[in-house]
Amino acid sequence: MAIKDDTWLWLVAENPDNDEQFLGQIDSEMNISFLPAFLEKDTALQGLHLLVRDKKVKFEIQAIQYRDLAPKLAEEGFFLFVLDAEGNVLEKISPQRQDA
């Protein structure tokens, strides 16, 4: 699988009405921070229970194209992990990858 510039990804946005940010995760084994992303909204909803998050914080599932997300990943130093509904990693994208 290869994520392209025009691929739509579904991410978890925290505080969607105020100071919104995408939910990040930490892989302690690899010592990296990453944004979990899904290829479908339903898959994101199914996989939500696998993510570490503050249950008191309001969230929503939002779509963004990879071309709009890539510069933010590079700027913040986050990897992007594309996941399936069970949390299996379909693709890992490093923050340095600028083209899809």
Side-chain angles (χ1 to χ4, degrees):
M1 133 172 282
I3 300 299
K4 300 187 179 354
D5 278 350
D6 63 350
T7 301
W8 285 93
L9 299 167
W10 295 87
L11 286 82
V12 178
E14 293 185 312
N15 297 314
D17 300 324
N18 184 24
D19 196 27
E20 177 179 283
Q21 62 183 21
F22 289 121
L23 175 67
Q25 302 285 284
I26 297 174
D27 183 326
S28 54
E29 289 180 20
M30 295 173 56
N31 196 28
I32 59 170
S33 298
F34 69 94
L35 291 181
F38 302 87
L39 295 173
E40 304 285 336
K41 184 175 185 177
D42 287 342
T43 307
L45 290 168
Q46 292 171 20
L48 186 62
H49 74 281
L50 301 170
L51 304 178
V52 176
R53 65 182 181 89
D54 183 345
K55 305 276 194 264
K56 295 177 269 181
V57 174
K58 184 177 177 184
F59 75 93
E60 70 181 26
I61 306 298
Q62 294 183 356
I64 185 170
Q65 281 190 313
Y66 179 73
R67 74 167 53 97
D68 297 327
L69 184 61
K72 296 174 186 165
L73 293 171
E75 181 180 315
E76 298 294 328
F78 275 80
F79 280 75
L80 181 73
F81 285 13
V82 180
L83 306 175
D84 66 13
E86 289 81 40
N88 298 310
V89 178
L90 303 174
E91 186 166 351
K92 291 180 186 178
I93 300 173
S94 75
Q96 292 77 27
R97 180 177 153 192
Q98 292 299 311
D99 61 300

